[in-house]
Amino acid sequence: MKLIVGLGNPGNIYSRNRHNIGFMCISYFARTQGIRLDKKQGQARTGTGRIEGNEVVLARPQTGMNVSGHPVSKLVNRFHISPDDLIIIYDDLDLPHGKIRIRQGGGSGGHNGLKSVIACLGTHDFIRIKVGIGRPDTAGSSGKDKEARVVAYVLSDFTPAEKITTAKVIPETGQAILCLLTEGLTAAMNKYN
């Protein structure tokens, strides 16, 4: 069984934020696969199904981004998921907007949601799909001002121009998930990185 989790913040106020691209990707993928995220399990909205012969659980944690690890670890324990069978989808400031990168393992890159997942699971050896949102211009800023600009950026909605790119990267992320499920990690990295 595979557990595929999109990270984000629950609630309509955040639904179109850059920080919620993980939610957007998992919701789109669920729709295309005929899976409804209509169950409440372990502080997450979940849906189960079979995709290309793989049993899957799709999930959106409902605790808020910075404590995403708690619902993820509950689901990992409930479904007896190994790190190799866990895929986390999230936004990445260090990737240009609209680019994706797949990898297994590594640090959090400063992403608080990922930090929480790593801390709660006690491992960093799961698969990640990073979806680039770009980084705001913080030239001339330092310390708290720079941090405040980054927070405001990730918690703001995509611009009209960015929405065009976002509308392309969300289905591409879905294709990357399918590639992971059917061809494996190496093939997906070669194809999408």
Side-chain angles (χ1 to χ4, degrees):
M1 179 177 278
K2 306 286 186 187
L3 173 60
I4 308 170
V5 181
L7 300 186
N9 285 307
N12 288 336
I13 191 170
Y14 301 110
S15 65
R16 296 280 127 212
N17 288 179
R18 292 177 176 94
H19 217 20
N20 270 37
I21 193 76
F23 269 20
M24 294 174 206
C25 290
I26 201 72
S27 296
Y28 174 88
F29 184 69
R31 279 193 310 274
T32 63
Q33 299 304 313
I35 297 173
R36 296 180 60 183
L37 297 170
D38 59 356
K39 295 184 187 91
K40 291 182 182 178
Q41 293 180 308
Q43 297 175 299
R45 303 288 297 175
T46 65
T48 57
R50 186 170 282 280
I51 300 171
E52 302 290 338
N54 294 281
E55 272 190 83
V56 298
V57 178
L58 308 182
R60 285 190 323 233
Q62 298 296 293
T63 54
M65 177 67 84
N66 293 350
V67 289
S68 297
H70 298 291
V72 172
S73 65
K74 286 179 181 179
L75 291 169
V76 162
N77 291 331
R78 179 182 184 131
F79 294 104
H80 310 289
I81 303 294
S82 73
D84 288 343
D85 293 324
L86 173 62
I87 301 168
I88 304 284
I89 307 162
Y90 63 97
D91 58 294
D92 191 309
L93 284 162
D94 294 322
L95 277 178
H97 179 67
K99 298 290 182 194
I100 65 173
R101 173 107 358 105
I102 301 168
R103 70 178 292 185
Q104 184 166 16
S108 69
H111 191 286
N112 289 329
L114 207 58
K115 275 184 201 171
S116 176
V117 171
I118 292 168
C120 289
L121 294 180
T123 184
H124 52 77
D125 289 332
F126 49 86
I127 297 168
R128 304 108 187 275
I129 301 178
K130 306 175 186 186
V131 183
I133 60 169
R135 187 173 280 280
D137 181 9
T138 55
S141 303
S142 62
K144 289 185 179 183
D145 183 46
K146 184 175 183 177
E147 186 178 326
R149 284 186 183 203
V150 170
V151 169
Y153 177 79
V154 299
L155 293 178
S156 63
D157 291 355
F158 290 107
T159 66
E162 288 171 337
K163 286 178 184 174
I164 295 167
T165 304
T166 302
K168 294 176 184 170
V169 76
I170 290 172
E172 183 181 9
T173 303
Q175 291 301 311
I177 296 168
L178 285 175
C179 187
L180 277 166
L181 294 176
T182 58
E183 299 177 47
L185 178 63
T186 302
M189 289 172 66
N190 289 338
K191 190 170 185 178
Y192 290 96
N193 287 358

